[in-house]
Amino acid sequence: MASPPVIEPVRRSFVLLEALSRRRTSTVSVLVEETGLPRPTVLRLLQTLMAVGYAARVSREQGYRLTDRVLGLSGSIRFIDHLVDAAIPHMSRFTADHGWPLYLATLSYGAITIRHSTAPESPMSFETAGVNQRRSMLQSALGRVWLAFCSGEERGTILRDIGGLGVRQQAALDQALQRIRRAGHAFTPPNRSSLNGMAVPIRHRQRMLGGVSMRFPRSVMDEAQAAARYARPLAQMARAVASDVAGRISR
């Protein structure tokens, strides 16, 4: 796949933002040297950053600094920290009570990304923790549960980002997502892997915050057995995590 085109003024703006972030204040001369950008370009970009509130001039001698408005750009990263911190004790308790490893995930650039796992704590784990590994939206339980419970607008965006589906594929997926919504959980589609996953959504006010999946060998139990034994405790755990996340965000 070809690399997307780079919009040069945007690239230069981020180069300058990165240079400004390295110290409390920076003079124009230092920024020119660190970025390799022409002095007139640096000055124009600084004027733009000040106009939109991301930079401020301290003095002639000290130069320029970033403002606290840049902290808003990391809001989603801080949210993931809140989610992981809230989920850890609940996930550990579930694994201690039931034995099976759990995987917490969020959406990132058209794929599911693992944020935390209790695999190291599980006596029945057959995999590593896999933190930061990416999973398919269509071929993983976590991806399918996200697609089932996110908004229609978000679902459309995700499917477009991964290349779209044919008419028959879309119809089959729509039916699968309806079944997932009725059940409240999703399983990994049949494949060659000996492991299955059962995922439930973590939601707050109808918004998807994340998903959590329990992984187990297909030879140990089928999907009906897994649902009968673990659907309720998994859903209860997910609701507890969502409640804790909401409390952390509101503080």
Side-chain angles (χ1 to χ4, degrees):
M1 183 179 296
S3 299
V6 174
I7 301 174
E8 190 58 25
V10 176
R11 185 193 70 81
R12 291 177 178 179
S13 298
F14 278 101
V15 167
L16 185 60
L17 279 169
E18 290 174 353
L20 282 166
S21 71
R22 295 186 188 115
R23 53 181 62 84
R24 293 180 64 85
T25 61
S26 300
T27 64
V28 172
S29 297
V30 168
L31 293 171
V32 168
E33 181 179 355
E34 289 197 354
T35 63
L37 298 174
R39 186 181 184 88
T41 299
V42 169
L43 289 170
R44 286 198 302 273
L45 291 175
L46 284 170
Q47 291 295 325
T48 300
L49 290 174
M50 287 192 293
V52 296
Y54 287 100
R57 188 179 183 188
V58 179
S59 67
R60 183 185 182 92
E61 294 75 22
Q62 296 183 62
Y64 300 81
R65 64 171 177 83
L66 293 177
T67 69
D68 59 1
R69 185 169 185 178
V70 299
L71 297 175
L73 300 176
S74 64
S76 62
I77 303 301
R78 295 202 304 276
F79 167 75
I80 291 172
D81 290 338
H82 286 311
L83 176 62
V84 172
D85 289 344
I88 284 175
H90 296 285
M91 293 174 65
S92 293
R93 191 175 306 116
F94 181 97
T95 296
D97 290 343
H98 302 285
W100 297 112
L102 298 181
Y103 292 79
L104 174 72
T106 61
L107 181 67
S108 176
Y109 297 103
I112 285 293
T113 300
I114 303 300
R115 303 300 185 182
H116 177 68
S117 171
T118 61
E121 307 166 36
S122 169
M124 298 188 287
S125 176
F126 296 85
E127 301 175 297
T128 62
V131 174
N132 293 326
Q133 285 185 359
R134 290 163 65 80
R135 304 275 175 87
S136 165
M137 294 301 301
L138 299 176
Q139 299 303 318
S140 70
L142 285 164
R144 290 162 77 86
V145 86
W146 192 288
L147 289 171
F149 288 97
C150 68
S151 68
E153 181 180 1
E154 182 179 8
R155 186 180 312 113
T157 300
I158 293 170
L159 294 176
R160 284 194 298 272
D161 287 346
I162 64 177
L165 300 176
V167 175
R168 290 184 179 179
Q169 289 177 307
Q170 185 66 61
L173 178 64
D174 289 343
Q175 291 180 359
L177 297 183
Q178 288 177 10
R179 291 194 295 271
I180 292 168
R181 282 190 284 270
R182 287 196 297 268
H185 53 262
F187 287 99
T188 305
N191 54 36
R192 296 180 181 178
S193 173
S194 62
L195 296 177
N196 202 347
M198 178 182 177
V200 295
I202 300 173
R203 295 192 298 167
H204 178 60
R205 295 178 180 173
Q206 307 304 311
R207 174 194 169 198
M208 280 294 291
L209 306 180
V212 64
S213 174
M214 184 187 82
R215 298 277 283 171
F216 58 94
R218 296 180 187 273
S219 60
V220 172
M221 57 185 161
D222 60 26
E223 293 181 0
Q225 291 170 325
R229 296 175 188 174
Y230 301 110
R232 179 172 294 180
L234 275 173
Q236 289 174 339
M237 184 202 63
R239 288 194 292 270
V241 172
S243 177
D244 284 1
V245 173
R248 290 169 182 267
I249 294 174
S250 65
R251 290 174 189 170

